[in-house]
Amino acid sequence: MFRHLKEDIQSVFERDPAARNRFEVITCYPGLHALALYRLAHWLWTHDLKWPGRALSHLTRFLTGIEIHPGAIIGRRFFIDHGMGVVIGETAEIGDDCTLYHGVTLGGTSWAKGKRHPTLENGVVIGAGAKVLGPITIGAGAKIGSNAVVVKNVPAGATAVGIPARIMESVVEQQREAQAARLGFSAYAVSRAEDDPVAQAIAGLTDHTSAIDAQLGALRERLDRVEAERSAVAGQSPSAASKEALPSVDGEHIATAGTTPQSE
């Protein structure tokens, strides 16, 4: 259990830029507290100490706002960010390196005994407020959008958004997702664009920046060709200075594009 706890602490630093030091993580992260107490409750549950396991789970919900049934199966390096309102049902199964944001429900859709909660394979990320319901499987590396309602299987590596959730499959959506990740956020954190005006605005801005990048890339290629032709006529190779005058467009240049060098 302590080996798992060490990995859980490290996963906080890897996925939360607000984490500053181990003392802060150990004392101020309810997701970590809920996970540590769950592992103890799960040990009690699996050793036929059902009531103590449920009682500890109930106390954990009171302390952290996170409800994890002791019968759930959770893998290594699991991270719950913020955590308030997270509910994980009895027959839920969570693989390694998964991430849940606040308000996520891994719930059931039936009163029947047996498997009735979702299975998350390794590396799944579920955005805030999403509901994943029923004995379905979310494939490895898949992402679920905030406030999505998922009632069907999601393939590995796919992104599901909306109510009811659908898979982002079009080329435009895939390009938008790639551009969003490049700018520092991912489309899994927003809802279905045609249903949400805020998501529409974000999608429009993402598409616009992608178009600008394409235009700048084409302009750079044309300028490079003109410089090469001019140098060929003059019998010289293109100067390094001319190349440095046209920096590549990446996150660093975007972040510093608005700064003006000061004269000495």
Side-chain angles (χ1 to χ4, degrees):
M1 187 177 74
F2 287 104
R3 182 177 68 253
H4 282 295
L5 179 61
K6 183 177 180 180
E7 291 182 338
D8 294 335
I9 293 172
Q10 184 59 36
S11 71
V12 174
F13 289 103
E14 294 172 355
R15 300 178 222 175
D16 186 2
R20 296 183 300 175
N21 54 65
R22 288 182 177 272
F23 179 76
E24 180 181 67
V25 169
I26 293 172
T27 57
C28 299
Y29 275 69
L32 182 66
H33 302 158
L35 185 57
L37 291 172
Y38 151 79
R39 297 201 188 281
L40 178 57
H42 181 70
W43 185 90
L44 295 170
W45 182 268
T46 55
H47 286 73
D48 205 27
L49 298 170
K50 306 294 187 185
W51 185 89
R54 285 301 303 270
L56 180 57
S57 175
H58 184 71
L59 177 62
T60 301
R61 182 180 66 170
F62 174 77
L63 295 174
T64 66
I66 299 169
E67 180 176 345
I68 307 176
H69 194 285
I73 299 175
I74 298 178
R76 301 165 61 181
R77 297 177 296 277
F78 179 51
F79 178 48
I80 303 175
D81 198 2
H82 300 292
M84 181 62 69
V86 167
V87 176
I88 300 175
E90 178 187 7
T91 62
E93 299 178 43
I94 300 175
D96 298 337
D97 302 302
C98 291
T99 302
L100 270 58
Y101 289 86
H102 54 281
V104 168
T105 297
L106 303 183
T109 57
S110 170
W111 293 345
K113 296 288 186 179
K115 177 67 172 173
R116 59 190 186 278
H117 297 96
T119 295
L120 311 185
E121 295 183 349
N122 296 344
V124 170
V125 178
I126 303 183
K131 315 302 177 189
V132 185
L133 307 175
I136 61 176
T137 298
I138 310 300
K143 297 177 181 178
I144 307 301
S146 295
N147 296 318
V149 177
V150 186
V151 294
K152 295 181 180 180
N153 294 338
V154 176
T159 298
V161 297
I163 304 174
R166 65 181 182 84
I167 307 300
M168 297 174 60
E169 295 179 338
S170 71
V171 175
V172 172
E173 289 176 323
Q174 293 174 1
Q175 291 175 343
R176 183 179 297 160
E177 170 73 4
Q179 181 69 9
R182 181 173 176 269
L183 293 175
F185 69 95
S186 180
Y188 79 86
V190 299
S191 59
R192 187 172 176 176
E194 55 264 38
D195 299 333
D196 186 347
V198 175
Q200 288 179 351
I202 294 175
L205 290 172
T206 305
D207 293 344
H208 182 62
T209 57
S210 181
I212 290 176
D213 282 353
Q215 292 173 359
L216 288 176
L219 179 60
R220 180 186 177 89
E221 291 178 0
R222 292 181 61 182
L223 290 175
D224 286 344
R225 287 198 300 269
V226 170
E227 181 67 21
E229 293 173 358
R230 181 182 302 172
S231 299
V233 171
Q236 300 175 351
S237 60
S239 64
S242 65
K243 290 186 177 181
E244 292 177 358
L246 295 171
S248 60
V249 181
D250 54 24
E252 180 179 355
H253 287 93
I254 292 173
T256 59
T259 60
T260 305
Q262 298 179 352
S263 58
E264 296 182 355

